Amino acid sequence: MTDALLLMWEFFKTGLFAIGGGPATIPFLMDMAEQYPWFSMQELSDMIAISESTPGPIGLNMATYAGFQTLGWFGGIFSTLALVFPSIVVIILIAKFLEGFQENRLVQAAFRGIRPAVTALIAAAVIRMIQVTLFADEAGKMSPRYPSLLLCVIIFCLLQWKKLKKLHPAMWFLIAAVAGVVFRF
């Protein structure tokens, strides 16, 4: 399979099975990082941080990035289209048959089963991202990254104060960015 078709196929599958939006794409993206040279786990971790501070879903940003890195503009456009195509088709189909789906007990039961599975996939991705961010060095070797651990603990503790909980998330990103520059994480 050519690089373009493989890239499109992988992001198509991600778009088809990542029920639950952006965070649900993370396990699929992690799998791609381990199987293909399109991006590393560290790049994925960086992209998640960037994606969370910019508009647009994580999967969409990653598809565009991986496609562009692999095949230039063509790859960026087509991997992005491959990711969103299944969602567009599913939304059109659901909209067409919405009334029948809303009350269907089998559909309701299926979604009651899907929700915990999506939650587990997202939780597994969060655990893996914690490992990559707080414990993996640039070569992927697992050892504590003490500055990152310290920043994580400090921000977690600060978030326990009622007044600081009300602080806008953008401020936390700004504080973390400044800390990263000052302390060179």
Side-chain angles (χ1 to χ4, degrees), residues 5-179:
L5 289 176
L6 182 60
L7 186 73
M8 289 173 59
W9 173 245
E10 288 297 327
F11 281 105
F12 176 82
K13 289 189 310 186
T14 300
L16 185 60
F17 294 110
I19 298 168
T25 64
I26 295 173
F28 294 93
L29 297 172
M30 293 169 94
D31 186 54
M32 282 186 230
E34 291 173 352
Q35 286 188 29
Y36 304 107
W38 304 330
F39 52 89
S40 68
M41 274 300 222
Q42 188 62 48
E43 289 173 315
L44 175 60
S45 177
D46 293 343
M47 184 58 73
I48 289 170
I50 292 167
S51 296
E52 290 302 312
S53 61
T54 61
I58 295 167
L60 190 67
N61 290 341
M62 202 68 220
T64 305
Y65 173 77
F68 182 79
Q69 286 292 99
T70 306
L71 300 167
W73 289 104
F74 170 82
I77 291 168
F78 283 98
S79 60
T80 301
L81 290 174
L83 179 76
V84 300
F85 181 74
S87 298
I88 292 169
V89 171
V90 168
I91 288 169
I92 290 169
L93 289 174
I94 288 175
K96 183 170 175 63
F97 303 105
L98 184 61
E99 289 180 20
F101 278 117
Q102 280 180 324
E103 302 301 322
N104 187 309
R105 291 187 320 189
L106 291 175
V107 171
Q108 291 174 352
F111 277 109
R112 279 194 301 273
I114 289 172
R115 282 185 207 116
V118 168
T119 303
L121 285 171
I122 292 170
V126 166
I127 291 168
R128 182 71 176 120
M129 282 292 105
I130 288 170
Q131 291 173 333
V132 168
T133 304
L134 302 179
F135 297 100
D137 62 15
E138 297 300 322
K141 182 182 169 200
M142 297 303 273
S143 61
R145 296 174 69 181
Y146 294 109
S148 296
L149 280 166
L150 181 62
L151 180 62
C152 182
V153 169
I154 289 170
I155 290 179
F156 180 80
C157 290
L158 290 173
L159 282 168
Q160 303 313 304
W161 292 358
K162 233 177 195 175
K163 286 185 179 183
L164 292 178
K165 278 186 180 180
K166 295 177 183 177
L167 196 60
H168 193 277
M171 290 305 297
W172 290 109
F173 284 117
L174 182 61
I175 291 166
V178 168

